[in-house]
Amino acid sequence: VVADGREVLSNIVASQVETHQEYGGVVPELASRKHIEAINYIVSRSLAEAGVTFKDLEAIAVTNRPGLIGALLVGVAAAKSLAYCHNLPLLGINHIEGHIYAPFLALDALPFPHICLTVSGGHTLLVEVHEGWQYKVLGSTQDDAAGEVYDKVAKYLGLGFPGGKVIDDLAQKGNPSAVKFPRPMRNTDDYQFSFSGIKTSVRYFVEKARRAGLLVENGQQAIEDIAASFQAAVVDVLVYKSLRAVKATGAAAITLTGGVAANSHLRASLKLAAAEIGAEVYYPPMNLCTDNGAMIAGIAYQKYQQGLRDGLSLNATPKGSIF
Ligand code: KG4
Ligand code: ZN
């Protein structure tokens, strides 16, 4: 529950991480079932914690794209029912727009236009954000998302799922120059990204190291070095291309959002690099970086003010651009 698109009155998150952990990744069918189990409880807790009832609400918003269709359908069906029962306007929101909005929830003001780097398990996107929450997409990943490669690399190293936080922690103790992993598309004349090459390099390196007995003999140190070197490659490309966008557009600020925005090395490196060209960096607190309802409610308020109303024919779609 968010008031005026600014004040987070409640932000209840139901994590499914434990359910998917034993499979080493998200199982779509299980995700949908867990959504069904959780949704009514989450809605009532959100209202209770915010100290409001349905009568106090002005509109209901729901993520309807892009994402796993089963999970989206559960949310959309629930939101439609509530909108119908309580006679409230309904708004379907793009998940990525929620991430782009998240930093704003924690700030008094944000300069426009600014550059937003969205890095999550499903997306890597560089966007120029204009007044009125209008977007110009500068570039995105051509293959894997940044978070996806964190999760895959963690899997190769036997570190469980999801992998971002574990690798982040291990990397702090490792040597980022121990292994020179590639930086695909770092120097291309655009804002596109590619991470599958880094992922494959790490995979071959780990297999070779394992065959050579390195991961047993000198296990912990080797894993920390691989984690740090992998992270250095990913963060280097993300920071370099984001800065390129800031310089080219003359934007005064850059925001960092999505699950991977919780990464300590990415936060620190971006801040350092941006300071050199006098640009501000804003990132939301951790609980607004990873998926949450407040960011969806926040951007929905702005869209509501702009006149968006979707009505009960709203559908969920697995894809969806923010153009
Ligand atoms: O935005 P999010 O919660 O869900 C999606 O919309 O995908 O992002 C989840 C992703 C996962 O891939 C996870 O490994 C990654 O964010 N992540 C991190 C960190 N914390 C979460 N990646 C790098 N460093 C972290 N500290
Ligand atoms: Zn997300």
Side-chain angles (χ1 to χ4, degrees):
V1 180
V2 171
D4 303 329
R6 303 289 293 148
E7 196 188 343
V8 181
L9 300 181
S10 65
N11 187 22
I12 312 294
V13 173
S15 170
Q16 301 188 0
V17 165
E18 277 177 21
T19 306
H20 301 285
Q21 234 152 16
E22 62 176 298
Y23 304 98
V26 173
V27 183
E29 178 57 26
L30 289 182
S32 317
R33 291 183 201 183
K34 283 278 155 190
H35 272 70
I36 294 174
E37 283 170 28
I39 196 139
N40 286 334
Y41 172 69
I42 296 300
V43 169
S44 48
R45 252 197 75 192
S46 305
L47 295 174
E49 196 155 299
V52 299
T53 69
F54 281 109
K55 287 196 176 61
D56 301 308
L57 301 185
E58 205 171 326
I60 291 190
V62 60
T63 304
N64 75 326
R65 65 196 191 278
L68 292 174
I69 190 67
L72 292 174
L73 274 169
V74 174
V76 169
K80 278 185 184 180
S81 313
L82 293 173
Y84 177 72
C85 292
H86 300 283
N87 200 19
L88 288 166
L90 176 69
L91 287 83
I93 299 295
N94 184 307
H95 178 72
I96 307 300
E97 284 196 69
H99 276 305
I100 294 172
Y101 191 80
F104 191 53
L105 282 172
L107 292 168
D108 291 333
L110 189 57
F112 291 97
H114 62 261
I115 298 296
C116 176
L117 174 66
T118 304
V119 267
S120 73
H123 302 272
T124 308
L125 199 69
L126 208 48
V127 178
E128 198 179 333
V129 186
H130 291 269
E131 196 82 52
W133 303 95
Q134 303 292 317
Y135 316 99
K136 181 177 173 200
V137 177
L138 300 175
S140 59
T141 179
Q142 308 293 289
D143 38 56
D144 296 13
E148 197 178 343
V149 292
Y150 265 93
D151 295 339
K152 297 254 174 73
V153 164
K155 205 168 174 176
Y156 303 151
L157 290 168
L159 300 171
F161 170 85
K165 173 87 173 74
V166 194
I167 293 198
D168 192 0
D169 292 344
L170 285 167
Q172 307 206 4
K173 291 177 238 151
N175 172 8
S177 317
V179 193
K180 187 94 185 107
F181 289 123
R183 270 89 166 138
M185 299 191 79
R186 182 187 191 270
N187 298 318
T188 53
D189 195 17
D190 55 28
Y191 302 104
Q192 308 298 338
F193 299 95
S194 167
F195 293 108
S196 76
I198 304 181
K199 177 186 75 182
T200 310
S201 288
V202 176
R203 185 173 162 191
Y204 287 149
F205 187 88
V206 170
E207 282 171 4
K208 223 168 118 191
R210 197 162 271 141
R211 277 198 300 275
L214 277 180
L215 297 190
V216 183
E217 246 171 62
N218 190 14
Q220 193 57 21
Q221 184 63 52
I223 288 176
E224 286 165 5
D225 286 350
I226 294 168
S229 301
F230 156 72
Q231 179 158 285
V234 172
V235 169
D236 181 21
V237 180
L238 288 173
V239 170
Y240 189 80
K241 286 238 151 140
S242 305
L243 264 273
R244 206 170 160 260
V246 174
K247 284 183 211 154
T249 59
I254 175 156
T255 60
L256 182 61
T257 186
V260 185
N263 186 269
S264 56
H265 183 48
L266 178 57
R267 286 177 175 239
S269 303
L270 194 60
K271 196 136 217 173
L272 206 67
E276 279 171 21
I277 58 166
E280 288 293 335
V281 177
Y282 300 105
Y283 30 66
M286 301 289 185
N287 67 326
L288 293 174
C289 281
T290 43
D291 288 350
N292 66 87
M295 67 185 193
I296 303 300
I299 185 66
Y301 172 85
Q302 305 293 344
K303 302 258 158 182
Y304 181 79
Q305 295 296 92
Q306 291 169 7
L308 177 72
R309 305 286 185 275
D310 280 305
L312 297 176
S313 59
L314 180 71
N315 269 327
T317 49
K319 296 210 179 312
S321 134
I322 55 167
F323 278 114

